[in-house]
Amino acid sequence: MARYNKIYAGPVSEVLPQVQERLCAAAILPGTALIESGSSFAQAGAASNAKIFIAQDNYLAMKGVDDTWAANDRIIGMEMLDEQLFNVRVPTGTNVARGAALTTNASGKFVLAATGNRIIAFAEEAYNNTTGADQLVRVRAAKSALASA
């Protein structure tokens, strides 16, 4: 069970983030990183250098943050703007400190950035994920993630 019930976390002064809808060949969990792949979305790989989108929860079908988008579905990818907050998926065993620099792993989940990795987001909260499952952690886009977009 996820800690949050939405992927887009605000601010409330902006009703919704900018989004794009595209088909995705693979099953996708909300809160993971997406990249453009031709006219479709694909899951971002490790320390991806492409423009990053965040897979939104399928609120149109009344699905939650732990409900996977099926393969070949038209999914919603949210554009990361630095004034907005997102809840992104962090794998189990990851200890995130507030302000920690994050990048993506091979499955599009957010992990601590090693030296030389592209920083995609900064953690807005501290969370030690020892739950045995992926969890959602609140982040803000890094300026470097926007500059390469």
Side-chain angles (χ1 to χ4, degrees), residues 27-84:
I28 299 291
L29 268 170
T32 57
L34 303 170
I35 58 169
E36 295 173 296
S37 178
S39 61
S40 302
F41 277 133
Q43 199 151 41
S48 178
N49 285 323
K51 180 176 180 178
I52 298 293
F53 297 83
I54 304 297
Q56 188 169 13
D57 47 295
N58 190 355
Y59 67 92
L60 298 171
M62 298 178 66
K63 303 253 176 127
V65 294
D66 290 327
D67 295 321
T68 303
W69 291 86
N72 299 315
D73 263 2
R74 181 167 297 277
I75 69 172
I76 301 170
M78 298 181 289
E79 294 191 36
M80 295 182 74
L81 301 176
D82 67 339
E83 70 269 10
Q84 296 174 332

Side-chain angles (χ1 to χ4, degrees), residues 2 5 53 65-66 88 92 94 123-124 128 146:
N5 63 0
F53 297 83
V65 294
D66 290 327
V88 299
T92 188
T94 304
E124 286 289 312
N128 186 7
L146 304 172

Side-chain angles (χ1 to χ4, degrees), residues 82-139:
D82 67 339
E83 70 269 10
Q84 296 174 332
L85 300 171
F86 298 91
N87 296 318
V88 299
R89 205 153 292 270
V90 173
T92 188
T94 304
N95 186 9
V96 178
R98 181 172 167 76
L102 302 174
T103 191
T104 51
N105 67 9
S107 59
K109 296 173 185 161
F110 286 77
V111 295
L112 299 173
T115 303
N117 285 146
R118 175 183 176 210
I119 298 170
I120 297 171
F122 289 102
E124 286 289 312
E125 66 175 332
Y127 187 72
N128 186 7
N129 188 4
T130 58
T131 64
D134 297 342
Q135 289 296 327
L136 296 173
V137 171
R138 184 144 308 154
V139 302

Side-chain angles (χ1 to χ4, degrees), residues 10-26:
V12 295
S13 60
E14 295 183 34
V15 180
L16 292 174
Q18 295 297 308
V19 299
Q20 293 188 25
E21 293 183 18
R22 298 191 180 174
L23 294 177
C24 193

